[in-house]
Amino acid sequence: AILVLIMAIYAILAVQFYMDAEIDGIYYFSSFSIALLTMFQVMTGDGWLSSIGRPLIMRDASNVFLL
């Protein structure tokens, strides 16, 4: 539970600092849910999220909780 809280705090900071930053046309910190997903991907070194999960979420942001 503490790890999720720490990730949430850093995701909020990332949204505030990097909201307008884009890499290859993708905004990784445009909203809290996308930033939290990006933080999870960075923390775990998850590779499948870039090719499978992220296109689903970018189409409809409410899908972030289904992963």
Side-chain angles (χ1 to χ4, degrees):
I2 293 181
L3 184 61
V4 173
L5 180 65
I6 291 170
M7 280 180 47
I9 290 170
Y10 279 106
I12 291 169
L13 289 173
V15 169
Q16 293 298 315
F17 291 133
Y18 305 115
M19 179 181 281
D20 296 327
E22 70 174 282
I23 300 172
D24 296 330
I26 299 172
Y27 293 93
Y28 289 103
F29 298 104
S30 60
S31 67
F32 174 72
S33 58
I34 300 297
L36 195 59
L37 185 65
T38 302
M39 300 297 277
F40 175 76
Q41 183 179 9
V42 168
M43 185 180 71
T44 61
D46 214 4
W48 66 270
L49 194 59
S50 295
S51 59
I52 297 171
R54 206 166 280 278
L56 290 174
I57 293 168
M58 291 302 175
R59 183 172 39 153
D60 182 15
S62 64
N63 289 335
V64 74
F65 297 109
L66 297 177
L67 292 178

